[in-house]
Amino acid sequence: MNVRSPLRRLALVPEPYSGESLLSWVDALARLNQVSRLTALRMTGMANGSSVSDAFGHHVSDAVVRSVWLTTGLTEEQVRGITLARYAGGALDPLPQPDAEGQDALAGWRYWQRMVLRQRSNVCPVCLRENGARWLLKWRLVWSFACVEHQRYLISECRGCDAGLHPPRPGTPQSWICPGPAPGWGRSKPSRPCGRDIRRMPAKPVHDLRLLDCQQRIDRLLEGSEDLTQAQIHELFGALYRSMQDAWDAERPVRLPHTDKVVHQAWDSDHAPDGFRWQPRPLIVAAALKVATEAGLGSTDSGAAEQVKVRPNWGPPQPRLPLRHGEFQLPANRFGGYCHHPGCGTWVPAGHGATVNDASDGGTHCPQHADQFTVRARSRERSGPITSTDPRLRFLDARLRDEEQRLQKGNHELRVLGIESQRLILDACADTDPRTIEGKALRYAVRCLLLPYSAHPDFRPAWLPRQGESPANPIVEYTAGRTSGDMVDRS
């Protein structure tokens, strides 16, 4: 039976380095007391068993905070300031309220942050060499891709064995030594660790000043030195993350603006047919941020690039402008690209034009053709019949026209607004590729709008909403031989 020894005050305790992570401080404590990492964790009350969780350093409980204060004298503010929970509400989602067990809610928070929180750490070898092997907390975030001070891209893997760096597991407190296995194949693979000195590993220099400026502002946002509220910082990081996701997941190859050669090589390799998608390596993150914030700035094409002042997609959230009656707002062009309107082909810088999903061809449209698309998608109250060949859309268009004619004799403003809103859905559905998620959702909405006309002799039962297409329960259940009054409401 193992009896836990009582905690006692340690005589040798290092001060946390500015911006240091909790695991790095534990390593410094272990080196100062000449013990292993696991022993240092036990001495401070942060671990009881023989293993360390991968979630170590994300957040700490009140009991751990008290144990660290009793053994080292570090205050609660100092302890929580070197955990990743420091970025909660800003670069990360706010911490949830603990549930009855105290763990499930935090585990869910970690899961939803998995694309931004690295299990291993990036590193600047020069910083590691100069600060006494102290690992910074921000290196655990995907947003850190470069060192502004030394103008070097961070590295995330050992140059010899490709192992991740600074993992939270039992090991040597000499955190500048690679803990991965030595390279080898099959039976000849040695059992000894890699043992390479991370401080001596080469890091590629950053020549792109715009990327350095981007990293510098990200650092200021992480430190909270920007004149923005936490909610604005959180919304800004969320918008930037969605832009990076769109750049990674784009069906068409996204044009990378002119930047450093190593960034171009990493981006091309990642987007190759046999490449790996969504690998948050520093060079890939740098490329995605370049696309998301400054796409089009490096264009050498003559035309609109010089005529239009480029506005990078970077800044505090802007309020949505009120739209006039009968209009809707198109998705912003965040990456830049060539206009997909037939016969145009003008380069559209980031922040200009719009991205539309047309039935003929989707993608970026210049401001002129984006405005034409908006006008075309307004209410067709004074236009001709819909030109789509889809029988559902033509049926609904005819029914709405019949209602418009009946409403001309009286002033039924609310019904007119309802018909116009239905026409917007109808027009957007006709101009959207049915193979896309947006097209499928719009066609489901059209079938829901058709429900009031289910008693019409031309109505087809196949137009009813289908089970499984919506997270909600099916609206109606249709059985052959029943009239509209016999339909069963299951909402």
Side-chain angles (χ1 to χ4, degrees), residues 103 153 168 203 252 370 434 449 481:
Q103 294 297 328
Y153 288 107
R252 295 186 179 89
L449 296 177

Side-chain angles (χ1 to χ4, degrees), residues 153 205-208 211 256-265:
Y153 288 107
V206 182
H207 301 294
D208 191 338
L211 277 178
L256 180 62
H258 177 70
T259 183
D260 293 336
K261 183 178 179 180
V262 292
V263 178
H264 274 285
Q265 291 174 345

Side-chain angles (χ1 to χ4, degrees), residues 186-259:
R187 296 181 178 179
S188 62
K189 187 172 183 178
S191 58
R192 59 182 175 81
C194 176
R196 284 178 170 80
D197 193 337
I198 302 174
R199 300 171 299 181
R200 304 300 174 186
M201 293 181 182
K204 301 294 184 180
V206 182
H207 301 294
D208 191 338
L209 298 182
R210 294 188 181 275
L211 277 178
L212 278 178
D213 181 69
C214 181
Q215 181 65 80
Q216 189 173 23
R217 183 167 187 197
I218 287 177
D219 291 344
R220 292 200 302 267
L221 289 170
L222 294 176
E223 296 168 1
S225 58
E226 286 277 342
D227 190 18
L228 297 173
T229 63
Q230 281 291 97
Q232 288 178 319
I233 293 176
H234 183 60
E235 187 176 351
L236 191 146
F237 273 111
L240 191 61
Y241 173 71
R242 289 189 295 271
S243 299
M244 292 171 60
Q245 269 194 322
D246 291 343
W248 267 307
D249 300 336
E251 295 182 2
R252 295 186 179 89
V254 178
R255 182 182 183 275
L256 180 62
H258 177 70
T259 183

Side-chain angles (χ1 to χ4, degrees), residues 229-488:
T229 63
Q230 281 291 97
Q232 288 178 319
I233 293 176
H234 183 60
E235 187 176 351
L236 191 146
F237 273 111
L240 191 61
Y241 173 71
R242 289 189 295 271
S243 299
M244 292 171 60
Q245 269 194 322
D246 291 343
W248 267 307
D249 300 336
E251 295 182 2
R252 295 186 179 89
V254 178
R255 182 182 183 275
L256 180 62
H258 177 70
T259 183
D260 293 336
K261 183 178 179 180
V262 292
V263 178
H264 274 285
Q265 291 174 345
W267 185 252
D268 294 340
S269 175
D270 187 72
H271 281 68
D274 56 345
F276 295 95
R277 290 299 181 92
W278 189 248
Q279 297 292 322
R281 300 185 299 273
L283 292 176
I284 302 299
V285 173
L289 281 171
K290 184 74 174 180
V291 173
T293 59
E294 301 177 30
L297 293 176
S299 174
T300 57
D301 304 307
S302 60
E306 289 86 9
Q307 299 174 6
V308 183
K309 183 179 180 181
V310 177
R311 177 177 58 83
N313 183 34
W314 180 263
Q318 300 294 330
R320 296 179 66 89
L321 299 178
L323 302 178
R324 292 185 297 177
H325 173 66
E327 296 183 5
F328 65 94
Q329 192 168 2
L330 295 173
N333 166 36
R334 295 183 291 194
F335 309 127
Y338 294 97
C339 181
H340 284 71
H341 188 81
C344 183
T346 305
W347 174 260
V348 187
H352 299 273
T355 302
V356 298
N357 292 321
D358 202 338
S360 58
D361 191 10
T364 303
H365 281 64
C366 64
Q368 178 182 358
H369 294 114
D371 291 341
Q372 292 180 5
F373 183 90
T374 307
V375 173
R376 189 172 75 245
R378 292 175 188 169
S379 173
R380 299 178 185 265
E381 184 178 356
R382 292 177 296 275
S383 64
I386 191 169
T387 58
S388 174
T389 58
D390 191 329
R392 293 170 298 176
L393 306 187
R394 297 183 66 87
F395 179 88
L396 182 55
D397 182 76
R399 300 288 77 75
L400 293 179
R401 288 191 171 278
D402 293 341
E403 293 191 18
E404 286 176 355
Q405 293 178 2
R406 289 197 299 267
L407 291 173
Q408 287 178 356
K409 300 179 181 180
N411 184 16
H412 302 282
E413 183 178 357
L414 189 61
R415 285 293 302 276
V416 173
L417 292 177
I419 291 176
E420 289 185 355
S421 63
Q422 293 184 37
R423 287 199 175 280
L424 287 176
I425 298 177
L426 192 66
D427 297 342
C429 179
D431 294 329
T432 306
D433 189 347
R435 296 169 296 180
T436 63
I437 297 178
E438 181 183 5
K440 294 177 181 178
L442 284 172
R443 277 155 181 78
Y444 176 80
V446 166
R447 289 196 293 274
C448 292
L449 296 177
L450 286 168
L451 289 175
Y453 311 100
S454 57
H456 194 276
D458 295 334
F459 188 86
R460 301 181 187 179
W463 295 347
L464 290 171
R466 301 166 187 167
Q467 185 174 2
E469 286 189 325
S470 174
N473 294 328
I475 298 177
V476 296
E477 179 180 357
Y478 180 84
T479 304
R482 293 185 180 179
T483 62
S484 60
D486 297 327
M487 290 186 180
V488 180

